[in-house]
mmCIF file of all heavy atoms in Angstrom:
data_model
loop_
_atom_site.group_PDB
_atom_site.id
_atom_site.type_symbol
_atom_site.label_atom_id
_atom_site.label_comp_id
_atom_site.label_asym_id
_atom_site.label_seq_id
_atom_site.Cartn_x
_atom_site.Cartn_y
_atom_site.Cartn_z
ATOM 1 N N ILE A 320 -5.657 -10.868 16.977
ATOM 2 C CA ILE A 320 -4.991 -10.447 18.208
ATOM 3 C C ILE A 320 -4.427 -11.648 18.951
ATOM 4 O O ILE A 320 -3.298 -11.625 19.473
ATOM 5 C CB ILE A 320 -5.963 -9.658 19.108
ATOM 6 C CG1 ILE A 320 -6.317 -8.304 18.474
ATOM 7 C CG2 ILE A 320 -5.391 -9.466 20.512
ATOM 8 C CD1 ILE A 320 -5.176 -7.333 18.397
ATOM 9 N N ALA A 321 -5.206 -12.725 18.998
ATOM 10 C CA ALA A 321 -4.760 -13.932 19.705
ATOM 11 C C ALA A 321 -3.493 -14.503 19.087
ATOM 12 O O ALA A 321 -2.581 -14.949 19.799
ATOM 13 C CB ALA A 321 -5.879 -14.974 19.706
ATOM 14 N N VAL A 322 -3.421 -14.505 17.754
ATOM 15 C CA VAL A 322 -2.229 -15.022 17.079
ATOM 16 C C VAL A 322 -1.009 -14.160 17.408
ATOM 17 O O VAL A 322 0.081 -14.665 17.701
ATOM 18 C CB VAL A 322 -2.458 -15.083 15.555
ATOM 19 C CG1 VAL A 322 -1.166 -15.452 14.828
ATOM 20 C CG2 VAL A 322 -3.549 -16.101 15.219
ATOM 21 N N LEU A 323 -1.190 -12.837 17.373
ATOM 22 C CA LEU A 323 -0.073 -11.930 17.659
ATOM 23 C C LEU A 323 0.365 -12.030 19.117
ATOM 24 O O LEU A 323 1.562 -11.981 19.428
ATOM 25 C CB LEU A 323 -0.488 -10.491 17.326
ATOM 26 C CG LEU A 323 -0.711 -10.190 15.838
ATOM 27 C CD1 LEU A 323 -1.374 -8.837 15.657
ATOM 28 C CD2 LEU A 323 0.595 -10.253 15.061
ATOM 29 N N LYS A 324 -0.593 -12.205 20.027
ATOM 30 C CA LYS A 324 -0.244 -12.342 21.448
ATOM 31 C C LYS A 324 0.516 -13.640 21.700
ATOM 32 O O LYS A 324 1.483 -13.668 22.467
ATOM 33 C CB LYS A 324 -1.512 -12.294 22.303
ATOM 34 C CG LYS A 324 -2.104 -10.906 22.460
ATOM 35 C CD LYS A 324 -3.349 -10.930 23.321
ATOM 36 C CE LYS A 324 -3.020 -11.309 24.746
ATOM 37 N NZ LYS A 324 -4.210 -11.257 25.616
ATOM 38 N N LYS A 325 0.088 -14.716 21.023
ATOM 39 C CA LYS A 325 0.758 -16.006 21.204
ATOM 40 C C LYS A 325 2.214 -15.939 20.757
ATOM 41 O O LYS A 325 3.087 -16.630 21.299
ATOM 42 C CB LYS A 325 0.005 -17.093 20.432
ATOM 43 C CG LYS A 325 0.505 -18.497 20.719
ATOM 44 C CD LYS A 325 -0.355 -19.537 20.021
ATOM 45 C CE LYS A 325 0.139 -20.949 20.317
ATOM 46 N NZ LYS A 325 -0.694 -21.975 19.632
ATOM 47 N N ALA A 326 2.472 -15.077 19.764
ATOM 48 C CA ALA A 326 3.847 -14.901 19.277
ATOM 49 C C ALA A 326 4.639 -13.916 20.133
ATOM 50 O O ALA A 326 5.811 -13.646 19.838
ATOM 51 C CB ALA A 326 3.829 -14.433 17.828
ATOM 52 N N GLY A 327 4.005 -13.377 21.168
ATOM 53 C CA GLY A 327 4.700 -12.449 22.045
ATOM 54 C C GLY A 327 4.926 -11.076 21.446
ATOM 55 O O GLY A 327 5.857 -10.372 21.827
ATOM 56 N N LEU A 328 4.057 -10.683 20.518
ATOM 57 C CA LEU A 328 4.235 -9.406 19.835
ATOM 58 C C LEU A 328 3.343 -8.299 20.381
ATOM 59 O O LEU A 328 3.481 -7.142 19.960
ATOM 60 C CB LEU A 328 3.977 -9.569 18.326
ATOM 61 C CG LEU A 328 5.003 -10.434 17.590
ATOM 62 C CD1 LEU A 328 4.539 -10.711 16.169
ATOM 63 C CD2 LEU A 328 6.365 -9.761 17.586
ATOM 64 N N LEU A 329 2.408 -8.636 21.269
ATOM 65 C CA LEU A 329 1.477 -7.643 21.803
ATOM 66 C C LEU A 329 1.533 -7.613 23.322
ATOM 67 O O LEU A 329 1.835 -8.623 23.973
ATOM 68 C CB LEU A 329 0.034 -7.946 21.381
ATOM 69 C CG LEU A 329 -0.342 -7.885 19.908
ATOM 70 C CD1 LEU A 329 -1.842 -8.087 19.758
ATOM 71 C CD2 LEU A 329 0.078 -6.566 19.279
ATOM 72 N N THR A 330 1.204 -6.464 23.875
ATOM 73 C CA THR A 330 0.917 -6.344 25.303
ATOM 74 C C THR A 330 -0.539 -5.925 25.443
ATOM 75 O O THR A 330 -1.087 -5.253 24.558
ATOM 76 C CB THR A 330 1.814 -5.299 25.980
ATOM 77 O OG1 THR A 330 1.595 -4.017 25.375
ATOM 78 C CG2 THR A 330 3.277 -5.674 25.838
ATOM 79 N N THR A 331 -1.153 -6.317 26.530
ATOM 80 C CA THR A 331 -2.567 -6.018 26.763
ATOM 81 C C THR A 331 -2.742 -5.507 28.179
ATOM 82 O O THR A 331 -2.123 -6.020 29.115
ATOM 83 C CB THR A 331 -3.426 -7.280 26.559
ATOM 84 O OG1 THR A 331 -3.293 -7.714 25.204
ATOM 85 C CG2 THR A 331 -4.900 -6.992 26.830
#
Side-chain angles (χ1 to χ4, degrees):
I320 292 293
V322 173
L323 292 169
K324 285 180 66 177
K325 188 175 180 180
L328 293 171
L329 295 186
T330 60
T331 298

